[in-house]
Structures are given as structure tokens and as C-alpha cells.
Amino acid sequence: MSTTPVSPTGKSPYPSSVLAGPSKVPSTNPHLVTWVNEMAALCKPDRVVWVDGSEEEKKRLTDEAVAQGTLLPLNQEKLPGCYLHRSNPNDVARVEQLTFICTPTADEAGPTNNWMAPKDAYEKLGKLFDGSMRGRTMYVVPYIMGPAGSPMAKVGVELTDSIYVVLNMRIMARMGNIALKQLGESNDFNRGLHSTLDCNPERRFICHFPQDNTIWSVGSGYGGNVLLGKKCLALRVGSYLGRKEGWLAEHMLILGVESPEGEMTYVAAAFPSACGKTNFAMMIPPARFKGWKIYTVGDDIAWMKVGEDGRLRAVNPEFGYFGVAPGTNLKSNPNAMRTIARDTIYTNVALTSDGDVWWEGKDGDIPNELTDWQGRPWTRKGSTEKAAHPNSRFTAPMTNNPALSRFAEDPEGVPISAIIFGGRRANTVPLVIQAFSWTHGVFFGSALGSETTAAAAGKTGIVRRDPFAMLPFCGYNMADYFAHWLEMQAFITNPPKIFMVNWFRQDKNGNFLWPGFGENMRVLKWIVDRARLRVGGQETPFGWVPRAGDLDLSGLAISHEQVDAATEIDLDEWKAELESHGDFFKKFGERLPHVLELQREMFLARIETLKKRKWGAHQLD
Ligand SMILES: Nc1nc2c(ncn2[C@@H]2O[C@H](COP(=O)(O)OP(=O)(O)OP(=O)(O)O)[C@@H](O)[C@H]2O)c(=O)[nH]1
Ligand SMILES: O=C([O-])CC(=O)C(=O)O
Ligand SMILES: [Mn+2]
């Protein structure tokens, strides 16, 4: 629906060209209409189009995107409703160094965030937005994060000049008139403004104003920077609101695991970007686990609050998956392959001669010839670069997922029994370990380390501290975030048990020790049994691990030595690890909750005692 914007005062700030349109603004919300008018006056688009979320609109915008060359139709027989988008090669991942938290003081943003004073940020970006949409259309995209009608849901409105953003937002969030209806006349909505501008990294900024519930993103067209409901609202602004309002916004998947007897257990897991959330959330258990089933509630973000029953309840605020393509195949993630077989937008994957998609790690033989992610010819024998970008992605509706939980839209959320932290670590961190207590679990989260991945611009494979997998996504001082987690325990009568996992430990030759993917069910089964207090554990200096025989390894084609190496706890490695936690904790000064530093020192002291006694752990012998 193309509409004529009308300000509540009846006076329009637009040049007459903006007013060309057949019908009226579909909202009478004065706060919304005033703000849209103000932003249109700043960006000066030729047209303002309010999107309604209808099928007719999807078709019209898709046709327009194809005509512009923004989307390339794929082979519609093989991949019905699927399109390919190639981004600007300088714009392929989140840009953490250009992402800012704009709180009144730098202290509120904390030492792990880039900070800009709100006034400076509005001024600087205001200049970039001024006239940025001349000759273009401004789309008004109202959306809901969270199930419609849920007490946890939040409304956002994104103004964007990118048709790619509109079509992706349509998949990722409940978008259009449904959101206007939920908003009604309320002023409580997130104000998001986005312009791709000239996609120049010199003029690229992603700024968050948590106090104003506002996000301004300019100069990028890449998902994580511009689909404002996702990382910007659901995590950065969400985490800020969560602290204020007493809930948690987390970079976590949510899954339900059902036993053959029909017992359902819900688990939330935080792994940093490109470290296995989507895969874990959609996992199919191996044959050995006959009758066990995994249901996906969410694959990237969890909003959690304490329910009436005193349990931690989680909703997935999203409506679709923005997942990593490379490595996805019928063996590693069959449910994802089915999910992305239709109505999917692919970004920066390679193209086959018959209009199919391809990426490194897809099923079948490597094609001899492809068109690479930048649209250049690629040959198996001659090309040295990857055909698909390592951070190439798919955007697919969650309703395509054969394993979608029937509680994925439950407005009250699902009750969480276990929380898992995991990173990508070549050494040190064992396959699985359980925290002794909630505080110890928060220490696990606060000290989480992981190798950097292609999900963010910059060098990959460097271990950094990524607490709670939230380093790039926490919208306020991370020391206060740790304190918030510690305080939440007071409100949860039946707190989830907390675990740490590592699917990525390597042998001397750089091969993964653990087969991962569906085989992670073996670890999950132990976690569920521990959370339900029905299996014992082996105590180590750093937490509980499976006793010999408790981890079901039957039918697994890997050696005993390999399992030992994947589960080993090495005191020297842990000493170095805890010292590195210390360096990280120092950043926060006095603001760091004291109990976390005490935990660290206690574990360090334990190492000193045990080293004298030559402690060694081979829990699975
Ligand atoms: N070795 C190994 N690799 C895995 C495993 N699970 C996922 N991966 C690989 O890790 C990469 C990222 O996995 P995803 O599941 O998409 O990561 P994510 O955590 O959802 O990432 P974001 O969407 O960036 O937040 C893919 O290339 C996977 O193939 C595992 O258990 N073992
Ligand atoms: O936001 C993105 O670009 C994708 C994502 O999930 C992440 O990086 O964690
Ligand atoms: Mn993510």
C-alpha cells in the first residue's frame, strides 16, 4: 500500500512529490505519524510507503527488487520463492568498531562498548541522513518482536530506504498491520532509522540510544547492521530494557528436547556468533537415540522473564532465521536444508549454472564451475578463493522448519531447565562441565572465551573473551549486566542448572576431536538428566563432569583416546585461562561484582593445591 503521509496537525513537511499516493497513512497514532514525518523531512525521500505485510505487497516488492537487480531469482522449480542477493563486497558482516552505545555517560556504556554522546551521535548521523533518501523510497516497517499479544512482545518501527531490508524484515519479524494493531495509540515503540546511503565504510555507523528507545543505522546494507529488530532492538536495546524492567535479553537459542516417554525439557544456550546455535537448535538426534526429538523454539535470541510459577520462561522474539550457509548440509543440519528450500533469501552464496545455490560444505560434489558470491566466474580447479562468502547467510521463515516447536508462539514462553554456555575453543575447555551453583554459572558466562568468526568484520580465529556470547550485543555496562544476572537468582524459585560446552576442541593436527552436530545429543542427554537431578556427576576443581559411563557413547565411531582428549581438564591450561579472565575483569575496575573475582581467585588457588598432588582428570575411563 502506497500512502499519503499526513501529520496530525494536517500540515505536511514534505515536498509535493512525497504526497503522491493513492491512500492515507494506515495509522492514527500521533506519536508514530509525527516521528515518521520528522524523519521523512530529514531524509527527504521521493516517496513514503507504509508496508502492510500482505502477500500482494510481498509480490510487488519482490518484483521491484528483481527489476532493480537487488534480488536475483533462483531456479524456481528447485527453490520455489527463493532469491539471491549480493551485497557490496565491503559490507558482508557486522562492524563492531562502527557500532556505538550512545548513553548520556561513557560509564553507562562500559569498557566493552564503543561510546558516543547522544547529542554528538544525533548530530553526526543527522548530517548523513540529511537528504540521504533523495530519489529513493522511504519504507515504514512496523514490526513486533515476540509473539503477537505476548506480555513480553515489543513493537518497533524501522524506516529504511532498502527494499532488501523490507523483504528480510518480513521474514524475520511479525511485520505490517499486525504491528500497528498491537501498537494502537501508544508511544511505546522502538524508533529505528536506516539508510544504506552510498554503502561507504567511512560513513557507516550503527548507533543505539537506549534511553530514547531509538536506533540509527547508516551506510550498511548487511543483515546484522540493518535488520534493526534483531541485534539492535532484541539484544542491545533489549538488554538495557531487560535490566530496567527485570528480565533478560540474551544471544541464546531455545530448544525443547522430548524423551521417548514424552517428557519435554527446555534448554537455552548462548554460543557466540557462528558457533553453532542454529545447528544445535535444529539438531536431529543420532539413531542410537531412538524416540528422542528436538524441537526448535528459537535459533539466536531469547527473551526470558520469571513466570508466575517462579520459573525462568523464554520466548523467541524473532519470526525467522538469519543463519550461516557454509557448513550447512543434509548431514550436519537436515532440518535447515528443508527450511531453506523455499521462500528464502540467500545473501552472498555462490550460484550454479542452473540457478541453484552453493556454498563450501554443501552436499554433493563441488561443481566445476560456479558464479562466486561477488558475481565472478569461479572454477574448482583454478580458483583459490572461497565461492561463497564465509559469512554468507539465508533468511528463512521459522514456519518452514519441520522441527518447529508447537510452543514457539506461546505468549508466556517455555520454562527453561538448563542454560548452556559454549565457545569455539581449540583447547582448554572440555566437552561439557556443569557449574556448582548459579553464581558459578554466572562466572562461566562472564568469562566465556571464543575464537572470532566471519560473523564480524576483522581477523578470525583469535580467542577473545565474549561474556555470555553478548560482547557485541550488550547495550550497557557489562559489569552491571553481570550484576543483573547475579540478582535474577533472587526471583527464580527453581533456577535452571548452568553448563559449559565446547564442540570445537582440536587435536595436534587441527582436527575437531568431537564429531558435533547431531552427536551433540549425547551431551544434551546428560545435561537434561543432570537438570532433572537423576544422574550423578564427577566433581572436578571447576565443576561437575560426566562420570565414567554416564555419557552415552554407544555407536559413536571415535576412539576412547579421542573422547578422553575432548573431555580432559588440564591444570596448566586452566591456569592460563583464569589469568586471562583476570585481565578481562580488570577492565571493569570496582564495578565488577566482587563475587566473580572471588570465584576466579578460588579456582586459581585450587589449581595451586592440586598441582602439588598431580591431579589429573580422565573422567570417562
Ligand atoms: N565442528 C562443529 N561445527 C559446528 C557445530 N555446530 C555448528 N558448526 C558450524 O559452525 C558454523 C556456525 O554455526 P551456526 O549454527 O550457524 O552458528 P550460530 O551460533 O547460529 O551463529 P549466528 O547466527 O552468527 O549467531 C557453521 O559453519 C556450522 O557448520 C558442531 O557441533 N561442530
Ligand atoms: O547479526 C548477524 O549478522 C548474524 C548473527 O546472528 C550474529 O552475528 O550473531
Ligand atoms: Mn547471532
Side-chain angles (χ1 to χ4, degrees):
M1 188 185 2
S2 174
T3 55
T4 308
V6 180
S7 88
T9 57
K11 279 187 259 163
S12 169
Y14 304 141
S16 56
S17 58
V18 177
L19 297 170
S23 60
K24 279 204 169 147
V25 171
S27 170
T28 53
N29 181 321
H31 316 285
L32 174 59
V33 175
T34 306
W35 170 69
V36 172
N37 284 350
E38 281 169 13
M39 295 304 109
L42 173 65
C43 301
K44 304 177 181 65
D46 280 13
R47 290 196 313 154
V48 176
V49 171
W50 291 65
V51 301
D52 60 16
S54 68
E55 281 300 317
E56 178 280 321
E57 173 185 87
K58 176 188 175 190
K59 186 175 179 323
R60 183 164 44 76
L61 292 178
T62 304
D63 289 349
E64 198 177 323
V66 169
Q68 284 176 6
T70 301
L71 292 185
L72 215 81
L74 291 163
N75 184 326
Q76 294 296 306
E77 264 164 47
K78 271 193 179 168
L79 295 168
C82 294
Y83 295 83
L84 169 64
H85 171 75
R86 295 194 186 114
S87 79
N88 188 316
N90 78 29
D91 188 30
V92 293
R94 285 181 295 100
V95 280
E96 293 177 4
Q97 71 282 14
L98 302 175
T99 300
F100 292 82
I101 301 298
C102 306
T103 41
T105 65
D107 263 2
E108 286 160 273
T112 59
N113 280 313
N114 300 311
W115 174 79
M116 227 191 279
K119 186 172 160 291
D120 296 348
Y122 281 129
E123 216 173 278
K124 187 177 187 134
L125 273 68
K127 284 193 188 126
L128 298 175
F129 278 116
D130 191 355
S132 63
M133 299 188 188
R134 258 193 205 104
R136 302 190 189 181
T137 301
M138 174 191 267
Y139 297 95
V140 181
V141 185
Y143 62 93
I144 311 174
M145 298 310 285
S150 164
M152 295 214 68
K154 301 261 178 213
V155 173
V157 181
E158 176 165 357
L159 309 179
T160 177
D161 58 5
S162 160
I163 205 166
Y164 169 80
V165 167
V166 180
L167 289 167
N168 275 272
M169 283 297 285
R170 204 197 135 81
I171 299 174
M172 295 304 295
R174 294 138 180 109
M175 179 264 246
N177 287 342
I178 184 174
L180 290 181
K181 194 168 153 227
Q182 171 127 352
L183 181 63
E185 302 293 295
S186 165
N187 191 19
D188 184 15
F189 64 95
N190 181 272
R191 291 155 159 81
L193 179 62
H194 165 250
S195 173
T196 313
L197 210 59
D198 51 1
C199 205
N200 176 352
E202 304 280 313
R203 308 192 320 144
R204 182 172 296 158
F205 297 96
I206 295 93
C207 287
H208 305 72
F209 306 87
Q211 273 89 350
D212 301 342
N213 201 1
T214 292
I215 303 155
W216 281 16
S217 168
V218 68
S220 169
Y222 169 75
N225 300 328
V226 301
L227 306 177
L228 300 185
K230 189 176 178 64
K231 302 296 174 172
C232 301
L233 170 53
L235 288 178
R236 297 196 192 97
V237 174
S239 61
Y240 172 90
L241 294 175
R243 172 142 190 266
K244 212 168 88 176
E245 299 166 3
W247 52 280
L248 298 165
E250 301 300 327
H251 192 201
M252 290 182 178
L253 67 93
I254 309 161
L255 63 77
V257 45
E258 190 180 31
S259 74
E261 295 75 37
E263 173 194 76
M264 187 76 86
T265 308
Y266 290 97
V267 170
F271 310 155
S273 302
C275 289
K277 287 183 299 302
T278 302
N279 280 270
F280 197 51
M282 297 176 111
M283 164 175 68
I284 294 185
R288 167 72 190 79
F289 287 80
K290 200 165 176 295
W292 287 83
K293 271 207 185 105
I294 303 291
Y295 294 97
T296 317
V297 178
D299 84 321
D300 197 49
I301 299 177
W303 281 357
M304 303 194 285
K305 65 153 195 201
V306 184
E308 307 253 307
D309 55 359
R311 301 190 67 185
L312 197 58
R313 294 199 162 253
V315 298
N316 169 17
E318 302 191 278
F319 200 51
Y321 309 132
F322 183 58
V324 176
T328 309
N329 59 53
L330 281 170
K331 193 159 170 288
S332 65
N333 195 346
N335 281 328
M337 291 307 288
R338 274 171 221 135
T339 302
I340 63 180
R342 61 196 153 90
D343 302 320
T344 296
I345 299 174
Y346 291 92
T347 301
N348 294 339
V349 300
L351 179 68
T352 69
S353 55
D354 66 342
D356 198 352
V357 287
W358 194 83
W359 47 78
E360 279 68 21
K362 197 167 178 251
D363 303 279
D365 298 333
I366 301 174
N368 287 325
E369 288 183 0
L370 290 163
T371 305
D372 80 0
W373 66 276
Q374 297 190 60
R376 306 171 305 190
W378 183 98
T379 60
R380 183 166 61 90
K381 294 215 174 104
S383 297
T384 49
E385 287 176 46
K386 290 194 174 358
H389 188 276
N391 191 40
S392 51
R393 298 227 169 209
F394 52 77
T395 320
M398 74 173 189
T399 45
N400 277 7
N401 178 3
L404 185 70
S405 163
R406 68 181 189 282
F407 297 104
E409 300 230 45
D410 189 326
E412 295 303 321
V414 296
I416 300 295
S417 298
I419 291 177
I420 309 175
F421 298 111
R424 189 180 277 269
R425 293 298 299 271
N427 49 46
T428 315
V429 181
L431 184 61
V432 60
I433 185 162
Q434 181 187 356
F436 293 126
S437 65
W438 179 268
T439 307
H440 182 201
V442 173
F443 172 73
F444 272 180
S446 71
L448 191 67
S450 196
E451 292 164 18
T452 50
T453 65
K459 208 165 157 28
T460 59
I462 317 267
V463 175
R464 69 170 184 183
R465 311 270 47 113
D466 188 348
F468 290 78
M470 282 288 278
L471 182 72
F473 307 121
C474 183
Y476 62 103
N477 192 310
M478 202 121 207
D480 298 350
Y481 167 94
F482 299 156
H484 180 41
W485 261 86
L486 289 164
E487 286 159 20
M488 281 300 285
Q489 187 187 7
F491 306 101
I492 314 173
T493 33
N494 188 359
K497 303 290 183 281
I498 304 183
F499 301 80
M500 186 154 62
V501 300
N502 178 19
W503 315 141
F504 299 93
R505 209 164 183 180
Q506 294 177 8
D507 65 15
K508 284 191 286 297
N509 304 320
N511 302 310
F512 292 122
L513 286 162
W514 179 250
F517 302 102
E519 303 297 350
N520 294 335
M521 179 63 213
R522 298 169 190 275
V523 175
L524 181 59
K525 163 83 166 48
W526 184 75
I527 288 175
V528 167
D529 286 340
R530 286 293 294 172
R532 290 189 171 273
L533 310 176
R534 61 184 173 211
V535 64
Q538 160 88 45
E539 187 180 320
T540 76
F542 310 114
W544 301 100
V545 300
R547 293 173 310 187
D550 280 347
L551 206 56
D552 187 337
L553 299 172
S554 52
L556 191 62
I558 67 172
S559 69
H560 200 86
E561 291 72 43
Q562 211 171 318
V563 176
D564 260 356
T567 53
E568 193 196 348
I569 292 176
D570 180 288
L571 293 183
D572 288 323
E573 284 182 347
W574 272 90
K575 187 158 186 280
E577 180 75 4
L578 287 157
E579 279 162 2
S580 142
H581 298 171
D583 293 340
F584 179 66
F585 281 178
K586 277 200 198 88
K587 282 189 179 200
F588 301 101
E590 287 302 305
R591 209 156 172 149
L592 183 85
H594 192 43
V595 70
L596 296 179
E597 175 57 18
L598 284 177
Q599 290 264 331
R600 189 188 78 84
E601 284 169 19
M602 179 191 72
F603 289 121
L604 212 48
R606 272 193 178 177
I607 292 181
E608 293 314 318
T609 325
L610 290 167
K611 276 182 84 163
K612 287 190 196 134
R613 295 284 171 211
K614 296 202 173 14
W615 181 86
H618 286 280
Q619 300 80 24
L620 301 173
D621 288 346

